[in-house]
């Protein structure tokens, strides 16, 4: 006969508190797009009084195909890194760098007048406009394992560089097509080094070593954003992501 019991685990196994404010701020602005999507999007043509850079409160002119169902609020983006699968070479997506937000106030054929509501840096001629993604801000994450065995690679870390630590945001080459959903938790493994066996006079690859834990919080079709929850050893771009 089974009865309710208390089960204890070492503190090292506990999932640390998740800073939702940091995740939600990033989630509302981060975006991956398909190759060619930004190139086909409307773009900033000129600033008011021909200014080449603009800021909050300024009016700007944009040119392109503004569909009727796109609404009046647009995100402003600049093309970032093109990510490819390090194993297959497949183009996974382009990171659209958040520049700000603009509201359309009028339109004359393919020229629209917009006012800048928010900026993260100077808005320049050529920056692209995309309809707001309307991603829901998640209030609660339910940590879980992916539904089936999968493995991936850390492609990049927010802010650039190669070194990764706890609470850093990373990009991983796993997405919806692999069954990943927001809240899935996976282990991070440092790749084992290759050393010379002086006795056998051969090169030997050492086993991969578990080095941390991450949780996916924004999942696209081909790749995802994840938050590093634990960093037990130094982490870097290229480390493996495997089942917990």
């Amino acid at each position: 006969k089974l009865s309710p019991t208390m089960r204890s685990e070492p503190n090292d196994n506990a999932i640390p508190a998740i800073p939702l404010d940091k995740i939600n701020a990033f989630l509302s602005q981060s975006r991956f797009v398909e190759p060619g999507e930004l190139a086909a999007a409307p773009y900033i043509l000129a600033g008011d009084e021909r200014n080449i850079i603009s800021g909050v409160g300024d009016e700007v002119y944009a040119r392109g195909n503004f569909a009727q169902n796109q609404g009046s609020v647009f995100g402003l983006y600049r093309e970032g890194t093109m990510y490819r699968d390090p194993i297959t070479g497949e183009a996974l997506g382009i990171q659209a760098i958040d520049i700000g937000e603009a509201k359309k106030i009028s339109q004359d054929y393919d020229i629209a007048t917009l006012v800048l509501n928010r900026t993260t840096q100077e808005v320049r001629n050529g920056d692209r406009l995309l309809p707001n993604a309307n991603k829901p801000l998640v209030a609660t994450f339910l940590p879980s394992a992916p539904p089936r065995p999968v493995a991936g690679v850390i492609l990049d870390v927010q802010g650039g560089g190669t070194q990764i630590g706890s609470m850093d945001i990373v990009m991983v080459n796993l997405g919806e097509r692999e069954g990943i959903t927001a809240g899935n938790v996976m282990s991070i493994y440092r790749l084992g080094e290759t050393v010379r066996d002086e006795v056998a006079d051969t090169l030997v690859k050492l086993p991969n070593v578990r080095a941390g834990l991450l949780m996916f919080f924004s999942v696209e079709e081909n790749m995802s954003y994840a938050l590093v929850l634990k960093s037990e050893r130094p982490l870097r771009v290229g480390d493996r992501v495997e089942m917990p």
Side-chain angles (χ1 to χ4, degrees):
K1 180 179 179 181
L2 298 177
S3 300
T5 59
M6 180 178 295
R7 184 172 62 184
S8 63
E9 289 187 354
N11 285 335
D12 290 343
N13 293 337
I15 294 177
I18 299 168
L20 293 179
D21 56 341
K22 178 178 180 179
I23 289 179
N24 283 340
F26 187 83
L27 179 60
S28 65
Q29 300 169 13
S30 62
R31 194 163 184 174
F32 290 121
V33 296
E34 296 292 328
E37 186 175 346
L38 279 180
Y43 55 89
I44 299 296
L45 179 65
D48 193 24
E49 299 182 357
R50 293 195 174 184
N51 293 334
I52 59 174
I53 59 175
S54 304
V56 172
D58 290 342
E59 288 188 1
V60 294
Y61 301 98
R63 186 180 188 187
N65 181 19
F66 292 89
Q68 295 297 320
N69 60 354
Q70 288 181 331
S72 61
V73 179
F74 294 82
L76 285 162
Y77 297 94
R78 195 169 294 156
E79 184 171 322
T81 303
M82 159 71 84
Y83 291 105
R84 294 186 177 274
D85 190 288
I87 299 173
T88 66
E90 175 192 5
L92 300 175
I94 297 173
Q95 185 180 27
I97 300 172
D98 174 69
I99 303 299
E101 186 179 83
K103 183 176 182 179
K104 185 174 69 174
I105 54 179
S106 65
Q107 183 175 345
D108 186 7
Y109 296 101
D110 64 343
I111 307 293
T113 303
L114 306 98
V115 62
L116 300 178
N117 296 333
R118 174 182 64 83
T119 60
T120 61
Q121 51 186 291
E122 296 93 348
V123 175
R124 302 173 184 169
N125 296 345
D127 287 339
R128 301 286 172 163
L129 293 91
L130 294 173
N132 274 356
N134 292 323
K135 293 182 180 179
L137 298 184
V138 179
T140 304
F141 288 94
L142 300 177
S144 61
R148 61 177 184 269
V150 291
V153 177
I154 294 178
L155 301 174
D156 202 358
V157 57
Q158 182 193 11
T162 60
Q163 304 303 307
I164 301 170
S166 296
M167 299 301 148
D168 278 344
I169 293 172
V170 296
M171 297 74 157
V172 182
N173 66 333
L174 297 174
E176 293 175 348
R177 64 182 181 180
E178 285 83 19
I180 298 297
T181 59
N184 283 168
V185 174
M186 297 185 71
S187 297
I188 306 171
Y189 283 82
R190 286 292 307 269
L191 296 177
E193 297 182 3
T194 299
V195 300
R196 175 169 291 279
D197 183 335
E198 297 182 0
V199 175
D201 193 25
T202 59
L203 294 177
V204 179
K205 182 181 178 303
L206 300 178
N208 296 342
V209 180
R210 177 176 163 136
L213 195 70
L214 60 74
M215 186 193 72
F216 294 94
F217 67 88
S218 179
V219 182
E220 305 289 346
E221 176 66 20
N222 301 330
M223 58 186 299
S224 304
Y225 289 107
L227 180 71
V228 176
L229 300 176
K230 286 185 181 181
S231 175
E232 300 161 359
R233 297 169 181 261
L235 303 173
R236 60 187 175 216
V237 172
D239 284 348
R240 293 272 297 175
V241 176
E242 299 182 6
M243 298 295 287

